[in-house]
Amino acid sequence: IFKMFYQIDVKKLIAYSTVVEMHWLLICLINGNNILLLSAFGMFISHAILSTNSFLMVDSISRRFKTRLVFEISGLNYLCPKLFLYILINLIIFLGFPGSLFFISEILFFTFLFDVFPIYSFILFFIIYFLLANFFMKIWLNLLFGSISSKINFLILDLDKNEIIIFSFLIFLIFWLGSSWLSFFFKMSTLSQLSFNLRYYKRIKKIPYSDTPKLFKNPQLKGVVRKLGIMTPKKPNSALRHVLRIHMYKTKKKLISRIQGVGLWPVKFN
């Protein structure tokens, strides 16, 4: 990770910055917690999209400037306004813009870490989002807003139609996946409920008990008596019970019904 501090190649800078996500992904998979597995799945997809978009942008820069060195590229906001805009949007998403899939994955990851390992997660958060992000953005802002060198050709072409379609599709895809994941989480448990499960057992909602579950709250269902018999009840009761085996017409269910009272004894096939 700390090799980012002395990189002069833009492509290597992107490569080492994406290694951080692979470390998070490894932590999530080794732990095996439900929250971290969801976070790992989101990081896996967002890493694939963001890395693809970033490397395509670096390729666009190298094809126009014939170099990938940091100190030989500057002034993209003036030379290539469209490329500058897409790179800026991609950098904002890479840092965790709200609504993107990468932001949701980070929220899940750091929610678990701050709940279980507060000191370790604070150190990790400080290194990644203050030291590395500061150095990473410093280099890219120099490329975007730096003064134009006299060696740069001013006839550099901007993005063509195909490149704009590809970059727009990848950016739209990561926000669409983020919105899909948000709707998925709203249908599931909330983040507070998921983090509550880290320390306590799940509270299972009790199903209300019914004396006649096979009647489906309909006491007037018709059936036919198939068998008559006598059964012994559970302890501590000991009196014999007269019971019937009934086949229901409508629900096609078979049930055993007790005959209430004294002197009632229906005939078979009633």
Side-chain angles (χ1 to χ4, degrees):
I1 298 174
F2 293 98
K3 289 185 178 180
M4 289 176 55
F5 289 105
Y6 54 86
Q7 289 300 323
I8 60 174
D9 192 337
V10 183
K11 189 174 182 179
K12 290 183 179 180
L13 183 66
I14 293 292
Y16 282 112
S17 62
T18 54
V19 170
V20 179
E21 301 174 25
M22 293 296 99
H23 290 170
W24 295 355
L25 189 61
L26 183 62
I27 293 173
C28 296
L29 294 178
I30 291 176
N31 187 277
N33 184 270
N34 293 332
I35 302 177
L36 292 186
L37 289 177
L38 286 174
S39 177
F41 185 71
M43 285 181 186
F44 182 78
I45 299 175
S46 61
H47 170 77
I49 299 174
L50 282 177
S51 300
T52 302
N53 205 18
S54 301
F55 283 120
L56 286 176
M57 290 179 179
V58 171
D59 180 69
S60 300
I61 293 174
S62 63
R63 282 190 288 105
R64 285 165 173 80
F65 290 88
K66 308 301 179 183
T67 182
R68 296 200 308 257
L69 299 180
V70 174
F71 50 83
E72 294 182 1
I73 306 171
S74 61
L76 287 177
N77 61 333
Y78 180 77
L79 298 175
C80 305
K82 296 178 183 178
L83 180 59
F84 156 77
L85 180 62
Y86 281 103
I87 291 176
L88 186 62
I89 294 174
N90 191 71
L91 289 176
I92 294 174
I93 298 174
F94 196 82
L95 292 177
F97 188 78
S100 63
L101 181 61
F102 187 65
F103 172 77
I104 298 172
S105 304
E106 286 180 336
I107 287 294
L108 289 175
F109 180 74
F110 282 104
T111 299
F112 176 83
L113 281 189
F114 275 108
D115 195 10
V116 181
F117 309 108
I119 300 177
Y120 170 75
S121 57
F122 178 78
I123 296 173
L124 183 65
F125 189 84
F126 177 78
I127 292 175
I128 292 174
Y129 285 96
F130 286 93
L131 297 182
L132 296 181
N134 187 18
F135 180 78
F136 182 79
M137 289 300 296
K138 181 180 179 181
I139 294 177
W140 276 104
L141 290 178
N142 185 32
L143 297 179
L144 297 177
F145 299 100
S147 59
I148 303 173
S149 176
S150 58
K151 300 180 181 180
I152 297 178
N153 185 9
F154 283 87
L155 299 177
I156 295 176
L157 297 177
D158 207 347
L159 295 178
D160 56 12
K161 185 177 180 180
N162 295 331
E163 290 175 327
I164 291 176
I165 292 174
I166 293 172
F167 293 151
S168 301
F169 172 74
L170 292 174
I171 292 173
F172 168 77
L173 184 61
I174 196 165
F175 278 105
W176 179 78
L177 290 174
S179 62
S180 301
W181 269 54
L182 284 176
S183 62
F184 173 71
F185 283 128
F186 285 141
K187 292 178 182 178
M188 290 178 53
S189 302
T190 61
L191 288 176
S192 60
Q193 292 171 346
L194 289 174
S195 60
F196 179 82
N197 189 29
L198 297 175
R199 301 175 183 174
Y200 304 98
Y201 295 103
K202 291 182 179 179
R203 295 180 179 178
I204 302 175
K205 186 178 180 181
K206 294 183 179 180
I207 301 175
Y209 176 76
S210 175
D211 294 331
T212 56
K214 292 188 177 182
L215 294 180
F216 302 101
K217 299 182 180 180
N218 188 0
Q220 298 177 350
L221 288 178
K222 292 183 180 181
V224 59
V225 177
R226 292 293 186 181
K227 187 177 180 181
L228 295 84
I230 299 175
M231 296 179 63
T232 56
K234 294 181 180 180
K235 293 182 179 181
N237 299 325
S238 59
L240 299 179
R241 312 295 189 195
H242 296 282
V243 296
L244 305 172
R245 177 170 290 179
I246 303 173
H247 287 206
M248 309 304 296
Y249 286 137
K250 186 175 182 180
T251 60
K252 307 298 181 182
K253 298 290 184 180
K254 299 178 182 179
L255 56 92
I256 296 176
S257 176
R258 179 190 169 190
I259 302 174
Q260 301 286 345
V262 180
L264 299 177
W265 193 248
V267 185
K268 193 176 181 180
F269 299 112
N270 276 7

